[in-house]
Amino acid sequence: TTCSRCNMPSKPPVRRSASCNDLSPTSVCDNNLRLRKEDTATRLATLATLRLSATTVYDPATNEPLLRDLWRLSFGKDDFLACSPRWRLLGFQGDDPTTDFRGPGLMGLEHLLDLVKSGMAPLATTGFPVAVASINATGVLQAYFDLNPNLRAGSRRVATPRTQQDLLSRGGLAPLQALQAELVLHMARLWSTLRRPTPMDFPSVLERAAADLHAVLDAPSASSHASSASGAAAGCDSRVDSFVRPPLAPRVREGLAALHGTRPEAAGGSDDEMPD
């Protein structure tokens, strides 16, 4: 039977220890309700943080140090130039890199900087547009998780409630960045399969990579079904299911590799998600 108050399976009194009194079904129900309220409040706060971060615009007055770090990591000790043809070598569309951040905003720069720190910048020497790929990947995820009203999913999918809750239950920012790295790595993998790719090929690569990502994220896994069943049987709160399942980025890495018959390859620090 199911409790009419908390919608959780009814369960007999549980003895916590020899020194504790048995918990009545009412106290178990009250505890479930309390945990759900706390969980909902935490996830709403995480969602608000994500949306604030996704809609923060790049401000040269305060954010230029990040751009300087990107220059240093990409071009060494050469004098920093806010506008330079060298930015195109990293995959920007023009001499002024800040114009490419208009969509995903500051988060686009932060994700790109993290990718370069992880060692993906050399991919630019193969012709793969690292910067534009990274910025677009950030935008795809912002639209998918409904984080930025300026970026709509359009014909692409939006996250199912289950997938969004999975992201929020793990802390939001770190898992999102890990997913972004996996998406960029997948784009680079698709790019490498093309014969003499040019910038004109990038839109189709982006669309295919985004579709693959959505398919993997939206697909229920056997482990998630098993954990849901065990959680319901035990009368556990909803947070158990999210933390029993593997982290998002490794699941996506394996899923994307399976789609194309390749061996999973880690994207920089994508394993460094919020601890389970």
Side-chain angles (χ1 to χ4, degrees), residues 38-47 50 145 161-176 237-248 251 273-276:
E38 292 176 355
D39 191 38
T40 299
T42 299
R43 293 186 186 189
L44 287 175
T46 301
L47 180 59
L50 278 172
F145 287 107
R162 181 185 185 83
T163 302
Q164 187 178 63
Q165 294 306 313
D166 200 359
L167 177 77
L168 298 178
S169 68
R170 297 177 185 278
L173 287 171
L176 185 71
D237 76 277
S238 60
R239 286 176 294 184
V240 172
D241 177 51
S242 293
F243 288 96
V244 167
R245 287 180 287 163
L248 283 166
R251 293 207 323 259
E273 288 201 45
M274 300 299 291
D276 288 358

Side-chain angles (χ1 to χ4, degrees), residues 148-217:
N148 189 338
N150 298 318
L151 298 175
R152 297 299 183 185
S155 60
R156 298 180 183 141
R157 301 180 191 174
V158 294
T160 63
R162 181 185 185 83
T163 302
Q164 187 178 63
Q165 294 306 313
D166 200 359
L167 177 77
L168 298 178
S169 68
R170 297 177 185 278
L173 287 171
L176 185 71
Q177 188 166 335
L179 285 176
Q180 192 266 1
E182 293 299 335
L183 180 55
V184 175
L185 183 62
H186 187 52
M187 280 192 272
R189 191 182 300 120
L190 295 177
W191 181 270
S192 68
T193 65
L194 300 178
R195 184 180 181 183
R196 298 179 181 177
T198 70
M200 298 296 292
D201 295 308
F202 180 74
S204 61
V205 169
L206 174 64
E207 287 299 321
R208 183 180 176 188
D212 288 346
L213 177 77
H214 297 162
V216 171
L217 284 174

